[in-house]
Amino acid sequence: MPPAAPPATAPAAGGLSSTEARQRLLQYGPNALETVVDAGWLRVLLRQFRSLIVAVLAAAAVFSFAFRDWAEGYAILAVVLLNALMGFWLEWRAQASMAALRRLGASTARVLRDGQVCAVPAEQVTVGDVLLVEAGEVVAADAELLAAQQLQVNESALTGESMPVLKELTPAPPEAPLAEQTNRLFKGTAVVGGTGRALVLGVGAHTQLGGIAQLVQQARHAATPLEAKLNHLARQLVLLTLGLAAVFVAVGLWQGQSAYQLLKTAIVLAVAAIPEGMSIVATLALAHGMLRLARRHVLVKRLAAVETLGGTDVIFTDKTGTLTQNQMAVHTVWLPEGRVEFAPGRIEIEATPLLRTEAYQHLLRAAVLCNNATYSPADAAAALGDPLEVALLALAHRSGYDAAAAQAGAHRLAEQPFDSDTRLMATLHRHDHARAWAAVKGAAEEVLGHCTQVQTADGALPLTPAERAQWLARAEELAQRGLRTLALAYRVLPDAAAPAWAHELTWLGLVAFLDPPRPEIIPALDACRQAGIRVIMVTGDHPATALTVARQVHLTIDADATAVTGAELPALVQHPNGAGRRRLLRAAVFARVSPAQKLDLISLYQQQGHVVAMTGDGVNDAPALKKADIGVAMGLRGTQVAAEAAALVLRDDSFASIVAAVEQGRVIFTNIRRFVLYLVSCNLSEILVVTAVGLLGHGTGLLPLQILFLNLLTDVFPALALGVGRGSARVMQHPPRHPQAPIMRPGDWRLAVAYAALMTAALLAAHYTGRQYVGLPAAVSNNVLFYGLATAQLLHVFNMAGVGTPLLHNDVLRNGYVWLALGLCTGLLLLSYLLPLLRHLLEVQPLSGPALLLIGAPALAVLVLGQLLGWLLSHWPVRASTAPLHQA
């Protein structure tokens, strides 16, 4: 870590010299945050072999080599290598995508070097540099102001406050809260107005942003629920394999069978029990979902994160820039004759008599003239200046008022800029040939203090003390609703040289502002509510403002709802079993919350068993994005540190994309459960067939290479087709699954065993019939088992449509990939019979007509009886907690 910055010193008039800048860059290090270093290709590749399934398969390969079964050993190793290469390619592609995203965040900064203003990469700004900033730039480092001209900085990325901070030279104590350090600039914040010059005091990790980045690194991230469930399922399968192998060997030894043959059969059991393609299919299913989300502008950093978001039941969301547009708009205008609340879109002047009054026209003129912002209706996004002033110009345009003509016809003669002491701004304009017109805006109590009259429908009338008190109460009412409030007034002067022209004003009214909700927020939150997902606002903004936004977007409809503030959190958290925790778990809005407190809230909900997602765009969101089960960062407005900490990055900053990710996550988990049920039932049938034939004294029944060939067919192609289905349209109409629910629920295990027993019984019947009644040789009988099991497993894919789904109208039949997989597998089975090399390796014999009938009969029985089994289960009452696939 670079050394700490020295105390501020007076800079040279021309800034640092190039030589000194290079020396300090070596001394203090680059002005870059500590970021996650991408894993090298070797580490990514080795990570693919950290699997219990791989360990068991490797052990089976070692035993095969020990018995000099070279073909079997090499085949097993080939399967392991194929699985590793596929996982490596997918993870490497995802890592490369995030590296490209980080490169998009490169920026430059303007500094004084050798007496000249020059642009340098932001990473080369160093301690002692004189930094120049102006509207539209991002501050490159922490610095102390040397000069400022109407400098306003949006620090919402650090503090959560929507309003920009007016910077001034008055020193603030170093221990003052961030929002009160008005003489300092902070790395990562945006300049929205004015210009400034500052001395750099901190770079890289020694900035406020760097401190939060370090907090991000300390937030530990655990394995996703899907990863944990797949690992648990793998352990279950391995234990089942070892148990069955031990029983088989013990029974065989008791029967006096050959130890060599028993160990050979145990290897076959290990190969049969392990669904080699499970991790590949799971990875490809997630990758397919990632590609679908990419078309919805969602960048997925970790594939398993998509499924985890599908299981999310709590979403913590920031307010500024996530629920709102991070730009001010006029919400209310309060005139002496009444008030008007504005909805988005063009204002219908003719339908609102109050807006046709002379008082409203006076208010618009004052709002336009006492204004330093620039605004073009054709390109509202390019507006510059104070957001409140931009909003006033937008109001004038929506009201049909020609702001450009008004400004051109009223030349500005003088200006009293806004000051934190006077809390108002005033401008003086030429009114006609002789007179002048003063426009004033500011805090209600300050403007009222300079007013002697009020503009009414009957003209300007004296302002009484009772009316002053009433206007102050109205301003307080608006503030309690979370609105930013400005008062406007004017005065007509006899000439431009009149002294004290900002006094003896005529009161016009109040204008209240609100950061408007994003247009897609309400439908997106409604979709979350319908899906059983709870959305909670966590912001650093004012409690009243947070509650107002929460009610606007229907996050809460409780009129008596209150926001829990950061100041209250410590006391509430200290009572984990009392009323404090109950209030925390019921609250829908948290305000004035620090980054560390966001971590506490996420931990609290995770301890309650919830799967927590966190959305945000600012630096202050980054620790929570890392700590949450799923972090969702905004890619357009978001900071680099937020994108680094998150698992998903929304490239369009649309909350609706989160809903799409939730839906895709649910579809993916349903698909995973579907193909896991298919794999487990198929592999259990292989285990039962091998065990039964072996215990009956007819050899292994199936050879290791045959089982590997079967698994490469059924464990990959049909399973993959099931894993990439589009899912049901009703997937978002059900509550999220329990976060601790395994992939295979008890009902699924019973169904898998039933399907496996069905296939085993049908195949054993065919095998017994062929040996006892048809007189098939042992080698041909083995082929009946091999091809019969292959055909039965391929047709078994149609049993995966789900219990209770229509026979001829379901997801599996509509899935084109299923038909493609069946065609491919049928072709490979034909090749295994026709190609001499495969016939030799798989020990395939010529098949007669009776043998072909014995192959087809079990497959048809599995399809017909499997559908009957599904029908019976759909009409059999089961508990929701143990319901089989697709039920409850």
Side-chain angles (χ1 to χ4, degrees), residues 334-337 359 448 451-464 467-468 470-471 474 488-490 504-509:
W334 205 326
L335 298 169
E337 288 79 15
L448 274 173
C451 289
T452 58
Q453 299 183 100
V454 58
Q455 184 71 42
T456 68
D458 298 325
L461 300 177
L463 183 64
T464 66
E467 288 175 326
R468 291 178 187 273
Q470 188 179 46
W471 281 110
R474 290 168 177 171
L488 288 103
Y490 80 99
E504 299 182 7
L505 305 173
T506 300
W507 176 266
L508 290 171

Side-chain angles (χ1 to χ4, degrees), residues 300-313:
V300 182
K301 292 174 58 181
R302 290 184 290 107
L303 297 182
V306 183
E307 181 278 331
T308 307
L309 186 60
T312 297
D313 57 352

Side-chain angles (χ1 to χ4, degrees), residues 13-54:
L16 297 176
S17 66
S18 299
T19 302
E20 188 175 7
R22 285 193 296 270
Q23 292 175 348
R24 294 196 178 201
L25 191 61
L26 293 174
Q27 180 182 1
Y28 298 110
N31 182 30
L33 302 179
E34 293 287 341
T35 57
V36 178
V37 178
D38 290 335
W41 67 269
L42 182 59
R43 181 180 299 178
V44 174
L45 180 61
L46 293 177
R47 198 152 49 209
Q48 311 310 315
F49 295 95
R50 298 176 187 172
S51 166
L52 192 58
I53 288 179
V54 171

Side-chain angles (χ1 to χ4, degrees), residues 443-678:
E445 57 271 28
E446 298 296 336
V447 176
L448 274 173
H450 296 281
C451 289
T452 58
Q453 299 183 100
V454 58
Q455 184 71 42
T456 68
D458 298 325
L461 300 177
L463 183 64
T464 66
E467 288 175 326
R468 291 178 187 273
Q470 188 179 46
W471 281 110
L472 288 174
R474 290 168 177 171
E476 179 63 23
E477 177 186 339
L478 294 173
Q480 286 298 319
R481 294 174 57 192
L483 303 173
R484 308 277 183 174
T485 306
L486 278 181
L488 288 103
Y490 80 99
R491 179 186 178 187
V492 179
L493 296 102
D495 59 75
W501 48 270
H503 297 275
E504 299 182 7
L505 305 173
T506 300
W507 176 266
L508 290 171
L510 297 169
V511 179
F513 306 81
L514 185 68
D515 188 359
R518 296 175 65 91
E520 74 278 6
I521 283 299
I522 292 179
L525 291 179
D526 288 343
C528 289
R529 193 174 295 109
Q530 185 181 31
I533 300 171
R534 189 177 175 207
V535 181
I536 301 172
M537 180 194 298
V538 183
T539 179
D541 212 340
H542 191 281
T545 304
L547 278 173
T548 299
V549 173
R551 294 189 179 102
Q552 280 196 328
V553 301
H554 303 169
L555 184 61
T556 179
I557 58 175
D558 185 2
D560 298 326
T562 60
V564 177
T565 65
E568 298 175 279
L569 276 179
L572 295 176
V573 172
Q574 289 174 3
H575 299 81
N577 298 318
R581 170 160 293 200
R582 288 195 296 271
R583 185 186 175 196
L584 287 176
L585 295 176
R586 287 197 303 265
V589 178
F590 293 86
R592 295 297 194 207
V593 175
S594 69
Q597 289 173 330
K598 291 182 181 181
L599 296 178
D600 293 338
L601 285 172
I602 291 175
S603 296
L604 174 66
Y605 273 83
Q606 288 175 331
Q607 290 167 7
Q608 298 296 314
H610 296 283
V611 176
V612 180
M614 170 72 191
T615 71
D617 60 352
V619 177
N620 60 322
D621 297 325
L625 291 172
K626 181 74 173 289
K627 176 63 177 176
D629 296 295
I630 290 294
V632 184
M634 302 300 167
L636 291 179
R637 291 187 175 91
T639 58
Q640 178 181 336
V641 69
E644 290 286 353
L648 303 181
V649 179
L650 305 184
R651 303 301 297 271
D652 59 356
D653 284 10
S654 173
F655 200 91
S657 297
I658 300 175
V659 179
V662 170
E663 180 179 9
Q664 188 61 41
R666 292 187 175 194
V667 168
I668 285 175
F669 190 77
T670 300
N671 290 341
I672 288 176
R673 285 188 61 214
R674 180 178 283 161
F675 80 68
V676 167
L677 173 63
Y678 175 74

Side-chain angles (χ1 to χ4, degrees), residues 107-113 116-122 125 129-141 151 191 194-198 200:
S107 60
T108 60
R110 294 182 302 124
V111 295
L112 279 177
R113 293 275 175 88
Q116 301 292 326
V117 177
C118 59
V120 299
V125 174
D129 261 325
V130 176
L131 183 66
L132 306 178
V133 294
E134 63 180 13
E137 295 182 343
V138 175
V139 178
L151 182 62
V191 180
T195 61
R197 186 163 49 92
V200 174

Side-chain angles (χ1 to χ4, degrees), residues 89-90 93 97 283-300 303 306 664 668 724 726 817:
W89 180 76
L90 291 169
R93 287 286 302 272
S97 297
T283 301
L284 290 178
L286 291 171
H288 189 74
M290 180 188 73
L291 294 176
R292 286 179 181 171
L293 286 175
R295 291 191 287 268
R296 292 292 306 269
H297 307 289
V298 179
L299 175 64
V300 182
L303 297 182
V306 183
Q664 188 61 41
I668 285 175
V724 297
R726 292 191 174 275
Y817 292 109

